[in-house]
Amino acid sequence: MAGTKDGDGSGGATGGATGRCGAKPVARRLLATATRLFAEQGYDRTSVQEIVDAAGVTKGALYHYFGSKDDLLHEVYGRVLRLQQERLDHFADADAPVEQRLRDAAADVVVTTIENLDDTKIFFRSMHHLGAEKDKQVRAERRRYHERFRALIEEGQRTGVFTDAVPADLVVDYHFGSVHHLGTWYREDGPLGPRQVADHLADLLMRALRP
Amino acid sequence: MAGTKDGDGSGGATGGATGRCGAKPVARRLLATATRLFAEQGYDRTSVQEIVDAAGVTKGALYHYFGSKDDLLHEVYGRVLRLQQERLDHFADADAPVEQRLRDAAADVVVTTIENLDDTKIFFRSMHHLGAEKDKQVRAERRRYHERFRALIEEGQRTGVFTDAVPADLVVDYHFGSVHHLGTWYREDGPLGPRQVADHLADLLMRALRP
Amino acid sequence: MAGTKDGDGSGGATGGATGRCGAKPVARRLLATATRLFAEQGYDRTSVQEIVDAAGVTKGALYHYFGSKDDLLHEVYGRVLRLQQERLDHFADADAPVEQRLRDAAADVVVTTIENLDDTKIFFRSMHHLGAEKDKQVRAERRRYHERFRALIEEGQRTGVFTDAVPADLVVDYHFGSVHHLGTWYREDGPLGPRQVADHLADLLMRALRP
Amino acid sequence: MAGTKDGDGSGGATGGATGRCGAKPVARRLLATATRLFAEQGYDRTSVQEIVDAAGVTKGALYHYFGSKDDLLHEVYGRVLRLQQERLDHFADADAPVEQRLRDAAADVVVTTIENLDDTKIFFRSMHHLGAEKDKQVRAERRRYHERFRALIEEGQRTGVFTDAVPADLVVDYHFGSVHHLGTWYREDGPLGPRQVADHLADLLMRALRP
DNA sequence: GATGAATGAGAATTCATTCAT
DNA sequence: GATGAATGAATTCTCATTCAT
């Protein structure tokens, strides 16, 4: 029916970092506004009315582009999932020693997370609002990401550059715990910039993995 | 009128690990039920009606013991904050080398978190629901906890047993990120018990801090 | 939970022609108001707001007693179905020749229908709004009624007092067509009273069945 | 501007059984689709969007041909009214004894109704949606039909071939009740075809009218 | 202490219709 | 002739909270 209303209609063609609803300025504005408000107040505490008021359109317009409030949430999820998977693949596929590849990937996810802090706040806080169906889909994508990261650690453990005192799974959760947590404490006007935080956190991971 | 309804009235007197509403079985059942439902469905998605139905009482009873739905949330917060502060103080005050004291504290918070996973899930997910006033209070308690933990790290850094390549603050957030994250992945029927997870996570922290 | 909200809670105890929500005056007033409005304007054209305004209560009160707007419709159905089945059973069980029993039943359903014209208007006009589940239930009750009536005709056909030139099923639908139709043309201030209309319609049926 | 949009503009010229929108295939498809959906789901439960989706056109197209959703309903009414009046006139004007003319007319309206069951379902179910103005118009046409039918009965009563024990008006309503009712029970795959049902129902009417 | 009927504000969503292109 | 984005009013339903009993 409408542009972005159908699940995956023309998804592939629009491409780029903007994802769906590329050209439609109203849809884009709505998504941006919703993202900000969801991050500030939480999904449940943000009413559709607030979103459309802030975006300067009417409810009808929102429902013209998005099938439901939930759909808005999914667009946010989709964007952040696609972005992070892309970046992980890029670093994991690089031609470098495994310790370098892991370090780069670990640091990059921190930078990317900070640069999209609103999206990731929403992602981690509101994941449990997903209906069974879409939940499965998101979990599957999430698992794929997780496994790719774990593979790097296992590779290093096998080749002896990382300790195998700790299960690789747990290490992944350890690191992503700190990434997830960024939304709780990171402030743009704090003493450390994204890159510095990323270096430190990657450093901690690499130190912890020293044999 | 009632015991727990007034903000902090007789707080000090009740003492012990059970916190407020110690003796009242109805209040206790309500709090336990609310905790479970909040953890399962989120605070906003849980209606007062659901809570009282599940607890087998009526709304009047709930409002007799708790001033509002928010109050229920605060009791959960209060319990978990008090509990964790107590345990941290216990380990930090011990008579042992700093690396032992930090390790014990770091491992203990993991065990305690897993043993109260519902409470901590709620804590991290719903903190942003707090009104300005109570938010300040919780943040203050939270900061106190955070600072006590940081002090241990700084002590180790000063005495040279821990590296000072990374700011102590960041290390605290690093560790608490992984603690916070437990609610996302830890399963009671998973391969690792609370103690084992705690050992591994404490291990990772100590390794990361090796000079 | 609430009085009439649960399907059949205390149904049996209330008894009598009033059906559920016997004592609750608010529930009764709501049901009466809704019945009138549904008959006047149709189910879909009547908003919940109109009902509660006309009944002088608030929406919350309506939803306290009835789970949904649909529930209101079902109470109407239930009442009319129960009433008509009772009366049919009464006349069909009587100790009299079959032509007398059929005539009495045929006339009585006309009187009852006219006396509850609002309910029956709603019944016939809005039956198609029923969800699959309740639709089945209503159809089952309807069929039972239909079959009882048909049995009388078949009895007369077997014993030769009625012609068997026409299938009994069709005769039932023929008669109930005219009953159903009453809502379309019968006016309280018209030339014929309920009893007179009933006599004429029963007469037509008996004449049509003469061998 | 468009053909059928203006109330009655060129009505007379189009003539034939197809009524308005004869040639325009889009308008015809829209009307057919709307008829089906209205019959299946009811007028109020069918959205304009559903109609245009099912017809494979856009909303603009619908509003190009029909002034409003109500207009669509009126086209259905118009078609069925015109059709039935034509057929009744045909049989009533025939050169045959009155009992033959009535029987033929009574049977024919059954056949025509079954053959246009969707239209008649809509007609009887949604008549009450008409605005005051159009309601009057439809009622007038309806009355004209009714009176023509009644005249046949009165003619038979005067000449003694029909009983006058029952008012002619009531007999008309009796018969049309069963016609109206067809939409409730008639199934295409049932045991009786349109012609057979028509014969039986006409038979019942004639039997009832025997002196 | 406890009940549960009632409130009233606000939630998401739908939809017939319009209008610039 | 035809599109589809946008409107805005209305709809059903939810829910924390209160209060007479």
Side-chain angles (χ1 to χ4, degrees), chain A residues 26 57-58 60-61 64-65:
Chain A
V26 174
V57 299
T58 58
H64 181 69
Y65 289 108

Side-chain angles (χ1 to χ4, degrees), chain D residues 24 58 60-61 64-65:
Chain D
K24 322 280 172 104
T58 60
H64 180 71
Y65 290 109

Side-chain angles (χ1 to χ4, degrees), chain B residues 58-61 64-65:
Chain B
T58 60
K59 284 209 265 221
H64 181 70
Y65 289 111

Side-chain angles (χ1 to χ4, degrees), chain D residues 105-123:
Chain D
D108 182 74
V109 71
V110 173
V111 173
T112 309
T113 295
I114 291 178
E115 280 171 355
N116 297 275
L117 209 51
D118 276 356
D119 303 66
T120 40
K121 264 186 206 167
I122 298 170
F123 187 86

Side-chain angles (χ1 to χ4, degrees), chain C residues 99-119:
Chain C
E99 56 269 41
Q100 187 62 42
R101 279 180 281 141
L102 180 63
R103 203 196 186 284
D104 287 347
D108 182 73
V109 70
V110 173
V111 172
T112 309
T113 295
I114 290 178
E115 279 171 355
N116 297 275
L117 207 52
D118 276 357
D119 304 66

Side-chain angles (χ1 to χ4, degrees), chain A residues 181-192:
Chain A
H181 203 50
L182 286 165
T184 303
W185 66 265
Y186 185 83
R187 296 287 164 262
E188 241 179 272
D189 53 1
L192 300 172

